[in-house]
Short mmCIF file of all heavy atoms in Angstrom, two decimals:
data_model
loop_
_atom_site.label_atom_id
_atom_site.label_comp_id
_atom_site.label_asym_id
_atom_site.label_seq_id
_atom_site.Cartn_x
_atom_site.Cartn_y
_atom_site.Cartn_z
N TYR A 114 143.77 100.81 16.93
CA TYR A 114 143.17 101.50 18.07
C TYR A 114 143.64 100.82 19.34
O TYR A 114 144.25 99.74 19.30
CB TYR A 114 141.65 101.52 17.97
CG TYR A 114 140.94 100.26 18.47
CD1 TYR A 114 139.97 100.34 19.46
CD2 TYR A 114 141.24 98.99 17.96
CE1 TYR A 114 139.30 99.21 19.92
CE2 TYR A 114 140.58 97.86 18.41
CZ TYR A 114 139.62 97.98 19.38
OH TYR A 114 138.97 96.86 19.84
N VAL A 120 140.83 97.54 15.09
CA VAL A 120 139.39 97.36 15.10
C VAL A 120 138.96 96.82 13.74
O VAL A 120 139.54 97.15 12.71
CB VAL A 120 138.68 98.70 15.42
CG1 VAL A 120 138.76 99.67 14.26
CG2 VAL A 120 137.24 98.47 15.85
N TYR A 133 133.55 102.67 16.23
CA TYR A 133 134.53 101.59 16.22
C TYR A 133 133.78 100.28 16.42
O TYR A 133 133.11 100.09 17.43
CB TYR A 133 135.55 101.79 17.34
CG TYR A 133 136.49 102.95 17.09
CD1 TYR A 133 136.05 104.27 17.21
CD2 TYR A 133 137.82 102.74 16.73
CE1 TYR A 133 136.90 105.34 16.97
CE2 TYR A 133 138.69 103.81 16.50
CZ TYR A 133 138.22 105.09 16.62
OH TYR A 133 139.07 106.14 16.37
N LEU A 134 133.88 99.41 15.43
CA LEU A 134 133.01 98.22 15.39
C LEU A 134 133.83 96.94 15.35
O LEU A 134 134.65 96.74 14.45
CB LEU A 134 132.11 98.31 14.15
CG LEU A 134 131.20 97.12 13.84
CD1 LEU A 134 130.21 96.88 14.96
CD2 LEU A 134 130.46 97.36 12.54
N GLU A 135 133.61 96.07 16.33
CA GLU A 135 134.23 94.75 16.37
C GLU A 135 133.20 93.69 16.00
O GLU A 135 132.03 93.79 16.40
CB GLU A 135 134.78 94.44 17.76
CG GLU A 135 136.07 95.14 18.14
CD GLU A 135 137.29 94.52 17.48
OE1 GLU A 135 137.15 93.44 16.87
OE2 GLU A 135 138.37 95.12 17.57
N ARG A 163 139.90 91.55 26.00
CA ARG A 163 140.73 92.74 25.75
C ARG A 163 140.05 93.68 24.77
O ARG A 163 140.06 94.90 24.94
CB ARG A 163 142.10 92.33 25.22
CG ARG A 163 143.06 93.52 25.10
CD ARG A 163 144.40 93.14 24.52
NE ARG A 163 144.32 92.96 23.08
CZ ARG A 163 144.51 91.81 22.45
NH1 ARG A 163 144.77 90.72 23.13
NH2 ARG A 163 144.44 91.76 21.12
N HIS A 164 139.43 93.12 23.74
CA HIS A 164 138.71 93.96 22.77
C HIS A 164 137.58 94.73 23.45
O HIS A 164 137.34 95.91 23.15
CB HIS A 164 138.14 93.10 21.65
CG HIS A 164 139.18 92.64 20.68
ND1 HIS A 164 138.95 91.62 19.78
CD2 HIS A 164 140.45 93.05 20.45
CE1 HIS A 164 140.04 91.43 19.05
NE2 HIS A 164 140.95 92.29 19.45
N LEU A 165 136.88 94.10 24.37
CA LEU A 165 135.81 94.78 25.09
C LEU A 165 136.35 95.93 25.92
O LEU A 165 135.75 97.02 25.98
CB LEU A 165 135.06 93.79 25.98
CG LEU A 165 134.13 92.81 25.26
CD1 LEU A 165 133.65 91.73 26.22
CD2 LEU A 165 132.94 93.54 24.64
N GLN A 166 137.48 95.71 26.56
CA GLN A 166 138.10 96.78 27.36
C GLN A 166 138.51 97.95 26.48
O GLN A 166 138.35 99.12 26.86
CB GLN A 166 139.30 96.21 28.13
CG GLN A 166 138.91 95.20 29.20
CD GLN A 166 140.08 94.34 29.65
OE1 GLN A 166 141.20 94.49 29.17
NE2 GLN A 166 139.82 93.43 30.58
N GLU A 167 139.03 97.66 25.30
CA GLU A 167 139.45 98.73 24.40
C GLU A 167 138.26 99.46 23.80
O GLU A 167 138.30 100.68 23.61
CB GLU A 167 140.37 98.15 23.32
CG GLU A 167 141.70 97.70 23.90
CD GLU A 167 142.62 97.03 22.89
OE1 GLU A 167 142.10 96.45 21.92
OE2 GLU A 167 143.83 97.08 23.08
N LEU A 168 137.17 98.74 23.54
CA LEU A 168 135.95 99.40 23.08
C LEU A 168 135.39 100.31 24.18
O LEU A 168 134.88 101.41 23.89
CB LEU A 168 134.91 98.37 22.67
CG LEU A 168 135.17 97.61 21.36
CD1 LEU A 168 134.10 96.54 21.17
CD2 LEU A 168 135.20 98.55 20.16
N ALA A 169 135.48 99.87 25.41
CA ALA A 169 135.01 100.69 26.53
C ALA A 169 135.81 101.99 26.61
O ALA A 169 135.25 103.06 26.87
CB ALA A 169 135.12 99.91 27.84
N ALA A 170 137.10 101.91 26.37
CA ALA A 170 137.94 103.11 26.39
C ALA A 170 137.56 104.05 25.25
O ALA A 170 137.55 105.28 25.40
CB ALA A 170 139.41 102.72 26.30
N VAL A 171 137.23 103.49 24.07
CA VAL A 171 136.78 104.30 22.94
C VAL A 171 135.50 105.04 23.31
O VAL A 171 135.35 106.25 23.03
CB VAL A 171 136.54 103.41 21.70
CG1 VAL A 171 135.75 104.15 20.64
CG2 VAL A 171 137.87 102.94 21.12
N SER A 172 134.57 104.34 23.92
CA SER A 172 133.31 104.96 24.31
C SER A 172 133.54 106.07 25.32
O SER A 172 132.92 107.14 25.24
CB SER A 172 132.37 103.90 24.89
OG SER A 172 131.11 104.44 25.22
N ALA A 173 134.45 105.85 26.26
CA ALA A 173 134.75 106.86 27.27
C ALA A 173 135.37 108.12 26.66
O ALA A 173 135.25 109.21 27.23
CB ALA A 173 135.69 106.27 28.33
N ASN A 176 133.66 108.73 21.42
CA ASN A 176 133.29 108.11 20.16
C ASN A 176 132.32 106.95 20.41
O ASN A 176 132.16 106.50 21.54
CB ASN A 176 134.53 107.60 19.42
CG ASN A 176 135.38 108.73 18.89
OD1 ASN A 176 134.88 109.69 18.33
ND2 ASN A 176 136.69 108.63 19.10
N ARG A 177 131.71 106.47 19.33
CA ARG A 177 130.83 105.30 19.46
C ARG A 177 131.67 104.04 19.40
O ARG A 177 132.67 103.95 18.68
CB ARG A 177 129.79 105.26 18.35
CG ARG A 177 128.72 106.32 18.45
CD ARG A 177 127.69 106.14 17.35
NE ARG A 177 126.88 104.94 17.53
CZ ARG A 177 125.99 104.51 16.63
NH1 ARG A 177 125.85 105.16 15.49
NH2 ARG A 177 125.27 103.43 16.87
N ALA A 178 131.26 103.04 20.15
CA ALA A 178 131.90 101.73 20.13
C ALA A 178 130.81 100.68 20.10
O ALA A 178 129.83 100.77 20.85
CB ALA A 178 132.79 101.53 21.35
N MET A 179 130.97 99.69 19.23
CA MET A 179 129.92 98.69 19.05
C MET A 179 130.54 97.31 18.86
O MET A 179 131.57 97.16 18.19
CB MET A 179 129.08 99.04 17.82
CG MET A 179 127.91 98.11 17.55
SD MET A 179 127.00 98.54 16.02
CE MET A 179 126.39 100.19 16.42
N LEU A 180 129.91 96.31 19.46
CA LEU A 180 130.29 94.92 19.22
C LEU A 180 129.12 94.24 18.54
O LEU A 180 127.99 94.27 19.05
CB LEU A 180 130.66 94.21 20.52
CG LEU A 180 131.34 92.85 20.28
CD1 LEU A 180 132.40 92.58 21.33
CD2 LEU A 180 130.32 91.72 20.27
N ALA A 209 131.77 96.86 29.77
CA ALA A 209 131.73 97.58 28.50
C ALA A 209 130.36 98.19 28.27
O ALA A 209 130.24 99.34 27.83
CB ALA A 209 132.10 96.64 27.37
N ALA A 212 129.95 101.19 30.23
CA ALA A 212 130.76 102.29 29.71
C ALA A 212 130.18 102.90 28.45
O ALA A 212 130.70 103.89 27.93
CB ALA A 212 132.19 101.80 29.45
N GLY A 213 129.12 102.29 27.92
CA GLY A 213 128.47 102.84 26.74
C GLY A 213 128.66 102.07 25.46
O GLY A 213 128.17 102.50 24.40
N VAL A 214 129.35 100.94 25.52
CA VAL A 214 129.51 100.12 24.32
C VAL A 214 128.16 99.54 23.91
O VAL A 214 127.41 99.04 24.75
CB VAL A 214 130.53 98.99 24.56
CG1 VAL A 214 130.63 98.08 23.34
CG2 VAL A 214 131.90 99.57 24.89
N GLU A 215 127.84 99.63 22.62
CA GLU A 215 126.59 99.10 22.10
C GLU A 215 126.78 97.64 21.67
O GLU A 215 127.79 97.32 21.05
CB GLU A 215 126.13 99.93 20.90
CG GLU A 215 125.94 101.40 21.22
CD GLU A 215 125.74 102.23 19.98
OE1 GLU A 215 124.91 101.83 19.12
OE2 GLU A 215 126.41 103.26 19.84
#
Side-chain angles (χ1 to χ4, degrees):
Y114 83 124
V120 72
Y133 289 73
L134 175 61
E135 285 283 351
R163 187 183 77 245
H164 285 165
L165 286 170
Q166 293 162 1
E167 291 176 333
L168 288 175
V171 166
S172 183
N176 290 316
R177 290 183 70 186
M179 183 183 297
L180 192 145
V214 176
E215 302 169 47

